Amino acid sequence: MSVFEQLQQRRRQLGKTLQNLADLTAMNVPQVSNVLSGKLDSRLSTYEALAGAMDASLVLIPKHLLPEVARLLSGKAIGPDDVPSTVDRLLGGLN
């Protein structure tokens, strides 16, 4: 799933309007719309601002860890509970 799709999905989950995001990021509504649709090639700081406005963060995940991250995000973590997962070790044990 692309960054654009993830940001759009997060916006839908939260029920945020383009105007809400524009107000929170000091962007205008057409700019927010264009960034979220991928029509505007923006700076990373723009994507970070949009993610932050939706109480989320952008994170780079090494490709070899994507399957484990996907399992974790789906709620299907594997292994014993008392052993930190690779994701926990990667992110420094953040909960």
Side-chain angles (χ1 to χ4, degrees), residues 12-26:
R12 284 190 300 273
Q13 288 171 340
L14 296 174
K16 296 243 185 217
T17 65
L18 295 176
Q19 185 64 57
N20 295 142
L21 294 177
D23 293 342
L24 291 168
T25 59

Side-chain angles (χ1 to χ4, degrees), residues 43-54:
R43 295 178 181 200
L44 181 58
S45 59
T46 301
Y47 299 110
E48 289 175 325
L50 285 168
M54 293 184 275

Side-chain angles (χ1 to χ4, degrees), residues 27-48:
M27 289 187 246
N28 59 49
V29 172
Q31 182 182 9
V32 171
S33 177
N34 287 333
V35 170
L36 291 178
S37 67
K39 294 178 183 174
L40 184 64
D41 189 15
S42 296
R43 295 178 181 200
L44 181 58
S45 59
T46 301
Y47 299 110
E48 289 175 325

Side-chain angles (χ1 to χ4, degrees), residues 55-77:
D55 197 30
S57 297
L58 297 180
V59 178
L60 291 177
I61 307 294
K63 286 184 179 183
H64 71 280
L65 294 176
L66 283 175
E68 186 170 351
V69 171
R71 280 192 299 277
L72 179 67
L73 293 175
S74 71
K76 299 176 185 173

